[in-house]
Amino acid sequence: MKTDDIRDKFLNFFAGKGARIVPSDSLVPHNDPTLLFTGAGMNQFKDQFLGLRIEYRTAASCQKCIRTGDIMNVGATPAHHTFFEMLGNFSFGDYFKREAITWAWEFLTGAMAIPEARLRVSVHDSDDDAFGVWEKDVGLSPDIISRLGDHDNFWPADAPRLGPNGPCGPCSEIFYDRGPVFGCGKPDCGITCDCRRWVEIWNLVFTQFDRRPDGALSPLPQRNIDTGMGLERMAACLQGAATNMDIDIFRPLVAAVAAAAGKTYGAEGGDDVLMRRIADHVRAVAFCIGDGVIPANSHRGYVLKRLLRRAVLDGRNLGIRSGFLPALVPIIGRVMEKPYPEIQARAAAIAETIGLEEEKFLATLDRGLVRIGQAVGEARKTGASVLSGAAAFELYDTYGFPYELAEEILAREGLSLDRTGFDAAMAEARTRARDGARMKGDVFARGPFQEIKKLTPGTDFIGYDSLEGEGAVVAAIAGETLVAEAGSGSRVAVILDRTPFYGESGGQVGDTGLLIGRDNLVIRVDDTQKLDGIHIHVGEVESGTLCPGAAVKARVDAGRRQNIMRNHTTAHLLHHALRTVLGDNAEQKGSYVGPDRLRFDFQHPAALTPEERGEVEEIVNRRILENAAVVTRVLPIGEARRLGAVALFGEKYGDTVRVLSIGDYSLEFCGGTHMREVAPIGCFRLTAEEAVAAGVRRIEGVTGLAAFRLSREQGEFLSAIVRELKTAPREAGERIRAMAAEIRELEKRLAAFRLSRAEEKLEAVAPLDIAGGSLLLAADVGILGGKELGELARSAQLRLGDRGVAVLAGRDGDKAALAITVGKALAPARLKAGDLVKKLAPFIGGGGGGRPDFAQAGGRNPGCLPDLLAAAPAAIGELLREG
């Protein structure tokens, strides 16, 4: 049975049971630290599981997931993946064990046509209810129902004894018998055996307890069902595949990797592991990029970069010397087109991002592997078993090896890495943001916000049509606590039942303004956030006393909001202009819309040319002058997509969406606030354009009065330049270029003159005899830059011969410069220029380095050059004795 058919049959089966079919979320951070991005199960439906929001009582989904906690097993075992799909059906206080078990059996033996003899089940050793359903309702013989303990049949595993606190419960697992050919041959081989005959294909979790801090399991007021079936694993069973990587959706990908390597899949076990791993990783990377993740040094981007570079290294180990990963993306797009057409539609953009990152790593890969080889050799000489954190950081920072990749390579050589030292060397550069949704002591946060969600289903936002309105205080938070009142001077977070204040989201900053109530109550709001549909007004009580239940007038700062709306509507015009000039691949990757400026991140591999910048700016301003109407509609998401509305990849959307149209040229999903027409924007000026990540550019700009003021300031600056140059404005550029060329020529002449004077000065200095018949030429040659000083030192070395040492000092502005050469008879066996420069550079308050025969240094104390030159003979003698 095809993988696509399994997915479709599962969703259709549960739709027939009345379940709401919930689309897969974008790849988002998960609450399990090893399951880095997913929206599956407890995370996707956490509010429904906790009874905080009930939009539907039953659901089913096929969720995209990425897991890297067991990445070392990928490719080496039959069933491990970094990217996989999880089928699941869910009940939020509706059906429970009987339906979950009997429907699972009906689906497997009916829709999947699996013979009953191939299936076995397990239940928790205390779960008589589940055992009874399997035995009496399904009709299984007790000898094929295994009772297992907390580790195998409780979710989370071992939760009764070890935690975490929160919703939990026993589970029942269903196993598929792949046949004796996959088994160990032992007479007692069964579902608990470590061989690969029995595969767990479906886990039915009965969430019926709340684990309390004292370890007690209290019955939940709402009992839930949370099931999970790995799609790839089920497909492998039904297709009779030896591994998950041999199923229909992987075979073309693995074959393409084998072709790129010039190898035959199945001929050599070690190569097969690499080919399977590349196929897995590039598929994971394609889906991450498709959902808006880009390679970066932290968070999801770091995971993406790690997977990409691991695939590149595996390719190198297969003998692939050039870039090959982008060519795999169209194959992924084709095999996954039915459930995920967006991958095929964006294949070119995904391949481009992968290619840029691959090219970047290939540029340093060989040198990095050499450096690792050197580190291994040095460790073996000294008997060390741990590579220092500083060396690990060098591999990361200079050669682009993620820590885990370097660790993996060194582990094969019997070495480990000093993680503590690496973290210290990394400092702020490697600080990882910790997502608040991640599992800590409890499965879900039980702070004040969870209590607030019990008080209100969400805030009624009226700010699209009004900047002022009446509302009632639902709750007030001071610190991390719900409070009954807050007096003057208190910092508070206020939740209203309705508000005109926009909560920060979609790149648009939150509103500011005032909340005004009776008895002189005034709260100055300096920020508004939004979480799960609830607007949180953050500010300070200026006067009066704030109490829940109080009626307030909410008044948004109108001037600030107007500026924000100008910039937000302009962001849509800018996106239109970029796609017009650069093509449809110039997709939005992020934005910031504030009252003072706008920032827009978009996909593009290179910097904009001056002509492209000018064209983009002109298109935006032309659209402003045309004064098209800005129209917002709320539509079902399916209808919005059929109309061609552009969605921001990586954003999560509900069943209905706000769609913003400007004229007949811009149609995008957007929940922000906007102008009613574009002419009041005034004008737009592009202020900056730069790279922010591989394949991602950023444009910044200003609108309205800020744009006018920028134009005025630039005009005044140009007028001042024109006056100084005594030329016409249109001739100023050419005049400046001519003057710059003249200055460069004069600088070259001055440098040549100084070098000539220094050579004359050096001719008058006699070399000194030093230890072992060697000669030392030490001199202060006056004003000379570092480059010229190095040339002079090399020239002096020719004069001294193979047993000579030149130590030349000079002044470059208010800095000191030092150049040292060592003859071939001394370097590197007896004396190294780099060692000598390290001894002498401290005299001038600086440092440096170089090769054994040539080194340079700079410092901030030119007044100490005489001391440095005086110390040179003794320093050379000391190094010669050590050598």
Side-chain angles (χ1 to χ4, degrees):
M1 186 179 295
K2 292 181 179 179
T3 304
D4 285 346
D5 293 338
I6 298 171
R7 186 191 301 106
D8 291 346
K9 285 176 181 290
F10 181 89
L11 297 176
N12 290 336
F13 177 87
F14 282 100
K17 301 296 186 184
R20 171 86 164 267
I21 304 304
V22 180
S24 174
D25 276 353
S26 297
L27 292 167
V28 296
H30 190 268
N31 57 8
D32 177 346
T34 66
L35 192 58
L36 288 172
F37 337 36
T38 179
M42 289 288 282
N43 191 64
Q44 185 180 23
F45 301 115
K46 65 180 183 180
D47 284 351
Q48 283 92 334
F49 277 127
L50 291 174
L52 301 176
R53 183 173 72 238
I54 301 296
E55 297 179 19
Y56 37 84
R57 287 287 181 180
T58 65
S61 71
C62 179
Q63 178 61 46
K64 298 176 293 185
C65 308
I66 285 191
R67 185 198 303 270
T68 60
D70 45 13
I71 192 172
M72 295 300 294
N73 294 324
V74 174
T77 68
H80 280 88
H81 298 282
T82 52
F83 173 85
F84 58 97
E85 294 178 78
M86 183 65 73
L87 300 169
N89 58 288
F90 311 93
S91 167
F92 318 113
D94 192 85
Y95 64 81
F96 200 48
K97 292 181 185 180
R98 183 180 180 277
E99 293 84 354
I101 290 172
T102 56
W103 289 350
W105 192 258
E106 179 185 347
F107 175 75
L108 293 174
T109 59
M112 295 292 99
I114 298 175
E116 294 185 10
R118 280 191 174 269
L119 299 173
R120 296 288 187 275
V121 301
S122 67
V123 298
H124 190 260
D125 53 18
S126 68
D127 196 349
D128 294 333
D129 293 340
F131 190 96
V133 174
W134 282 117
E135 181 184 21
K136 296 173 184 176
D137 293 82
V138 176
L140 297 188
S141 172
D143 60 359
I144 64 169
I145 308 171
S146 299
R147 287 183 179 267
L148 303 176
D150 292 344
H151 184 73
D152 295 296
N153 275 85
F154 207 92
W155 189 93
D158 295 311
R161 183 169 59 90
L162 302 177
N165 300 326
C168 59
C171 61
S172 181
E173 295 184 329
I174 305 174
F175 296 82
Y176 179 88
D177 181 5
R178 302 176 73 207
V181 69
F182 291 99
C184 59
K186 297 176 182 177
D188 60 346
C189 179
I191 64 172
T192 59
C193 186
D194 290 334
C195 75
R196 294 171 177 174
R197 175 174 178 173
W198 293 94
V199 178
E200 181 241 310
I201 55 173
W202 206 343
N203 188 12
L204 316 177
V205 179
F206 313 126
T207 312
Q208 62 189 83
F209 298 118
D210 182 11
R211 189 186 191 277
R212 309 307 298 166
D214 62 359
L217 298 180
S218 302
L220 284 170
Q222 172 182 291
R223 300 183 303 176
N224 307 308
I225 292 293
D226 176 6
T227 85
M229 175 198 293
L231 176 61
E232 294 83 359
R233 186 177 296 188
M234 174 63 83
C237 291
L238 296 183
Q239 294 174 22
T243 75
N244 289 11
M245 302 300 292
D246 295 306
I247 64 176
D248 56 345
I249 60 174
F250 272 111
R251 284 196 300 269
L253 197 53
V254 174
V257 176
K263 296 182 179 291
T264 301
Y265 180 66
E268 203 285 315
D271 287 348
D272 288 353
V273 169
L274 298 180
M275 286 186 260
R276 288 194 293 262
R277 194 158 66 189
I278 291 169
D280 169 271
H281 286 9
V282 75
R283 191 173 81 126
V285 165
F287 272 85
C288 285
I289 296 172
D291 271 2
V293 184
I294 57 176
N297 288 332
S298 64
H299 224 76
R300 294 180 294 168
Y302 180 81
V303 177
L304 173 58
K305 177 180 283 190
R306 178 186 171 194
L307 292 174
L308 249 173
R309 297 194 169 195
R310 200 166 186 254
V312 173
L313 182 60
D314 284 346
R316 177 58 56 88
N317 290 333
L318 285 171
I320 304 174
R321 307 295 298 179
S322 58
F324 72 104
L325 296 179
L328 303 177
V329 176
I331 300 171
I332 300 168
R334 285 196 298 274
V335 298
M336 303 300 290
E337 184 173 17
K338 184 177 179 182
Y340 305 109
E342 65 272 14
I343 300 298
Q344 180 77 320
R346 303 186 68 241
I350 293 169
E352 186 175 54
T353 301
I354 290 175
L356 287 168
E357 185 64 23
E358 182 181 34
E359 182 181 347
K360 186 187 299 184
F361 188 42
L362 284 172
T364 61
L365 176 57
D366 287 332
R367 290 187 291 121
L369 291 173
V370 169
R371 180 68 188 93
I372 289 178
Q374 292 171 344
V376 171
E378 292 165 3
R380 285 178 175 160
K381 283 181 184 177
T382 61
S385 61
V386 179
L387 189 69
S388 71
F393 179 71
E394 179 192 6
L395 290 171
Y396 170 87
D397 190 50
T398 304
Y399 303 107
F401 279 76
Y403 175 90
E404 295 83 358
L405 186 57
E407 184 178 46
E408 187 178 324
I409 296 170
L410 289 167
R412 294 197 289 265
E413 303 291 339
L415 297 175
S416 60
L417 285 179
D418 173 14
R419 184 67 197 231
T420 302
F422 175 80
D423 288 341
M426 191 70 152
E428 294 182 5
R430 200 193 163 279
T431 298
R432 303 278 188 85
R434 300 297 181 187
D435 195 278
R438 190 171 285 180
M439 188 180 290
K440 297 187 185 301
D442 294 305
V443 176
F444 303 128
R446 294 185 177 274
F449 192 71
Q450 297 300 328
E451 294 301 315
I452 290 167
K453 290 171 78 171
K454 296 176 182 178
L455 302 175
T456 175
T459 307
D460 179 14
F461 178 60
I462 61 173
Y464 290 124
D465 303 308
S466 176
L467 297 182
E468 188 171 312
E470 302 285 344
V473 177
V474 173
I477 302 172
E480 297 183 358
T481 307
L482 284 171
V483 295
E485 63 176 40
S488 179
S490 300
R491 290 290 299 175
V492 292
V494 183
I495 290 83
L496 305 179
D497 62 345
R498 63 197 301 266
T499 184
F501 281 73
Y502 184 85
E504 181 174 334
S505 59
Q508 179 176 326
V509 300
D511 281 330
T512 64
L514 298 174
L515 302 179
I516 303 169
R518 294 180 178 177
D519 300 323
N520 201 32
L521 173 63
V522 177
I523 302 164
R524 184 165 298 278
V525 177
D526 50 47
D527 188 23
T528 307
Q529 295 291 316
K530 186 171 76 170
L531 183 60
D532 290 349
I534 297 174
H535 292 235
I536 307 165
H537 309 75
V538 181
E540 183 174 326
V541 180
E542 291 194 342
S543 62
T545 301
L546 169 67
C547 301
V552 296
K553 178 176 287 187
R555 183 180 299 159
V556 173
D557 183 331
R560 182 177 180 275
R561 167 73 87 80
Q562 184 78 359
N563 288 334
I564 292 170
M565 292 193 300
R566 280 194 183 93
N567 287 332
H568 202 157
T569 303
T570 302
H572 287 254
L573 298 178
L574 179 58
H575 194 193
H576 155 69
L578 288 167
R579 289 164 70 94
T580 300
V581 174
L582 305 177
D584 288 344
N585 282 340
E587 294 176 343
Q588 182 178 354
K589 288 295 183 183
S591 66
Y592 166 85
V593 179
D596 55 335
R597 62 191 171 90
L598 66 99
R599 185 179 71 216
F600 192 88
D601 298 346
F602 61 100
Q603 183 169 295
H604 193 60
L608 271 64
T609 65
E611 293 75 19
E612 287 170 337
R613 286 181 54 151
E615 190 176 355
V616 166
E617 191 175 59
E618 182 173 330
I619 288 173
V620 174
N621 282 293
R622 190 186 310 130
R623 293 303 191 189
I624 291 172
L625 290 173
E626 289 171 358
N627 194 27
V630 180
V631 179
T632 302
R633 290 175 289 170
V634 178
L635 300 172
I637 190 167
E639 182 179 347
R641 293 190 189 279
R642 284 192 296 274
L643 289 173
V646 177
L648 176 59
F649 278 91
E651 282 290 306
K652 181 179 177 181
Y653 299 102
D655 294 336
T656 59
V657 292
R658 291 180 67 85
V659 176
L660 183 87
S661 62
I662 307 176
D664 59 359
Y665 51 82
S666 176
L667 185 67
E668 298 186 89
F669 289 32
C670 187
T673 61
H674 288 275
M675 308 296 290
R676 308 240 180 227
E677 50 191 20
V678 296
I681 293 171
C683 65
F684 166 72
R685 291 296 310 275
L686 194 159
T687 59
E689 191 266 337
E690 61 184 356
V692 291
V696 179
R697 308 293 300 179
R698 170 173 293 170
I699 277 181
E700 295 197 17
V702 292
T703 63
L705 278 176
F708 166 75
R709 289 167 183 151
L710 176 63
S711 298
R712 184 178 62 192
E713 289 170 4
Q714 291 177 341
E716 291 172 350
F717 180 67
L718 177 60
S719 296
I721 291 174
V722 166
R723 285 195 300 271
E724 289 296 322
L725 295 177
K726 296 182 173 59
T727 187
R730 67 181 57 189
E731 297 171 0
E734 186 58 38
R735 179 75 179 107
I736 290 171
R737 284 189 288 273
M739 291 177 67
E742 185 179 346
I743 291 169
R744 286 193 296 270
E745 179 61 27
L746 291 172
E747 286 175 340
K748 286 173 58 178
R749 292 183 184 179
L750 180 60
F753 172 75
R754 286 174 173 169
L755 182 58
S756 175
R757 291 292 300 271
E759 288 171 343
E760 292 174 2
K761 198 169 188 178
L762 195 59
E763 286 290 335
V765 179
L768 299 175
D769 288 322
I770 54 175
S774 299
L775 296 176
L776 167 64
L777 184 60
D780 180 349
V781 297
I783 300 173
L784 201 64
K787 180 182 177 182
E788 291 79 15
L789 188 65
E791 293 175 4
L792 186 60
R794 291 189 184 93
S795 176
Q797 187 63 51
L798 296 175
R799 171 184 165 192
L800 294 169
D802 288 349
R803 299 189 60 81
V805 179
V807 179
L808 303 188
R811 293 166 175 79
D812 188 6
D814 60 350
K815 305 291 184 184
L818 175 65
I820 296 175
T821 59
V822 177
K824 294 179 181 178
L826 299 175
R830 298 188 61 202
L831 178 66
K832 296 178 182 177
D835 293 341
L836 183 55
V837 88
K838 289 175 183 176
K839 279 188 171 290
L840 298 179
F843 281 92
I844 53 174
R851 304 188 306 271
D853 62 335
F854 177 75
Q856 285 188 283
R860 59 183 180 276
N861 298 322
C864 295
L865 286 175
D867 298 334
L868 180 153
L869 295 171
I876 294 171
E878 182 181 345
L879 290 171
L880 286 172
R881 285 191 296 276
E882 292 175 358

